[in-house]
Every structure is written in structure tokens, then in C-alpha cells.
Amino acid sequence: MSVERVHRMSHAVDAAAPAGVLYALVADTAQWPLLVPDTVHVEPWDFDGSRERFSLWDTRDGTVRSSLWRRTLDPERRRIDFRQEVPAAPVTSTGGSWTVRQLAPGWSRLTLEQDFTVAGNRGSDVERARADVERGARAMLDRLREAAERWERLDALTMSFEDSVRFDGPGEPVGAFLYDVASWPGRVPHIAGADVVEDRPGVQRATVHTLTADGSVHTTESVRVSFPAAGRTVYKETVPSALLAAHTGEWSVVPDETGVTVLSLHHVLLDERGVERVLGPDADLSQARRYVRETLARESAATFEQARAYALTSVRGLRAL
């Protein structure tokens, strides 16, 4: 009977930031999709103040992956232990810990310890798993360091806002329209084209060509994940539009006794270096925030209207049968 060998790896990065800032960034997985390029969405399931469980969607080599994790948070020791519940074969177990240590005033070290086992311990499988861990760890550490070192400006660079509309009618056709982004060209005025690949039900990769106010076209790429039972579709622009370093969002449909409320939620990380390029040499962050808010609100309103029209058309079609 063979015994699986436990492989261990350790990575660390020093950041010009307080230890509390680094720990907070690691602890708050809801922020990861904005800060870590490969992370698409984090869906929380359980949290009792110290122990949590969540699903995570990420991208690797053009593939969208999902995983389920458990973590135990210890803010006093600035340590977080984690374990994946069902790793992808040939990996049979994986987990580890995050720790943060203050080095000096304004300087801290973030350490990521990881362990994993591989079925059969075949050399090629172990090396692939080791390379995957190495690449993921370096990317996470680098991005968290970058965010931590901008902590004093992070509030000015991030935005979250919501738009909504309510109308009478069923929610099912609205949810179907919001998910079927491939049908938006010709219906939603600012959408000039959309190419969608659905590798498995509920997970899409979309390339969308959008008309701007000046008549030009910009292209974004996104990953979209649907939760049909909850009436939600979440997304992340993996290639965002100009002025945005990162953009995540959610469409949701909330029914009531006589109709539905449709919500569009946005989380944005501004690209500070792109402000002057997009808005001109005298523009500042406050203008950039206003521009982004107005643009996304206008696009949401146009999509709301077409979702409403589609729902009403669907209802009339059913009544005519």
C-alpha cells in the first residue's frame, strides 16, 4: 500500500505597509476579484466570525475553474489557515496558511505556506502541481503587496454602487435576458457585438464590443457565472474598459407579489495612470469617479429597458398561445 507524500512550499513578500493592512486584504476575500486578476468571483456560504466556507471561481490558461474552501481566521496572531474541500485530480489534498509579521514601522512580511498531495506521486503530476502552486502563489503575493502599498489611496480608487428599476411582470424572462448576453447586439443600444463561449452550463466567457458616447467602440472580455435559483448573474471583466483597472458586477432579479426589481451592482478599481489619457491632462480622480459612475449608470439603464421590453414581449407571446 503506497502512502501519499506531502509536498510543501513556502513563499513570502515584503510590503511597505502596516501588518494590519496586509492581514485585512488577505482576510477579505470579497475584495480579491478586484485586486487579483485571476480571481473572478468569491461566493460566501458560511461564516461564524472565525471560520468560513466559500466558493471561488478563477481563470487559468483560458479555463474557468471553481473550488470550495474552508478557512479559520485568527486576527490576533494575523494567521489564516485554509483547506480546499475537493481538489482537482490528480491532486488529492491541498491547504496551508497565510501569516503576516510586522518587520518595522510601515514594513511587513506576508508568508504563504502551502502543502499538497498527488495521487500516485508520479513525477510529472507532482511537477505540474508544483508549477501551478508556484505561479498562483507568486501572483497572489505580488497583487496583495501592490494593493497594500497603495492602502492610503485605495478608498479613492475603489467604487461600489447599485442601480435598480422595478416593473410589473414575471422575473424568469428578465433573468434569461440578462444571462443571454449573446442576444444583446441589436437590442441593447450600446452593444455593437458579443461573442460568447459557454464551456459548461452557467459559466460563460464573453467578448463584448461597446459603443461609447463619442461613437468609438471599445472591447471588453468577461467571465460570467450564473446562479439561476437565486436570480443572479455575476461577472468580472478580465479585460476591462479604459479607465478601469478592474471591474466586477452582478445582475439580480428580485420578485415580489406583483412584479420584480432588477438590480445592477458594480465594483470598480480605477486605473490611476489612465485618468489623464482618457479624460485629459487636467482631470483628477473625482472627475474619473463621476465619469465612470455616469457611464455605467447609463449602460445599466439601457439594459434595464431592453430586459423589460423582452419580458413584456414574452408575456404577450404566452397569452397569445
Side-chain angles (χ1 to χ4, degrees), residues 118-232:
V118 176
N121 276 324
R122 286 186 293 271
S124 58
D125 290 339
V126 171
E127 286 309 308
R128 277 194 294 270
R130 186 178 293 277
D132 190 56
V133 170
E134 176 79 25
R135 179 170 50 180
R138 283 298 172 198
M140 282 289 291
L141 289 168
D142 288 344
R143 295 302 182 175
L144 291 171
R145 175 188 56 78
E146 290 173 6
E149 291 183 341
R150 291 187 297 169
W151 70 277
E152 292 180 301
R153 297 184 59 74
L154 212 50
D155 284 345
L157 293 172
T158 54
M159 303 170 59
S160 293
F161 50 89
E162 179 181 278
D163 294 301
S164 66
V165 65
R166 189 195 176 283
F167 50 83
D168 297 337
E172 290 82 359
V174 177
F177 178 85
L178 294 174
Y179 184 72
D180 188 15
V181 67
S183 72
W184 290 7
R187 289 177 169 174
V188 181
H190 61 276
I191 302 299
D195 302 306
V196 180
V197 176
E198 189 160 348
D199 295 322
R200 61 183 187 275
V203 179
Q204 300 172 317
R205 290 179 288 121
T207 301
V208 177
H209 310 287
T210 303
L211 289 170
T212 63
D214 63 5
S216 62
V217 176
H218 72 252
T219 300
T220 61
E221 296 178 12
S222 62
V223 175
R224 311 174 88 238
V225 180
S226 177
F227 301 90
R232 299 168 57 220

Side-chain angles (χ1 to χ4, degrees), residues 13 41 44 53 72 87 136 145 147 193 221 225 249 273 283:
V13 67
H41 177 65
R53 189 167 177 259
T72 301
R145 175 188 56 78
E221 296 178 12
V225 180
R273 294 168 297 183

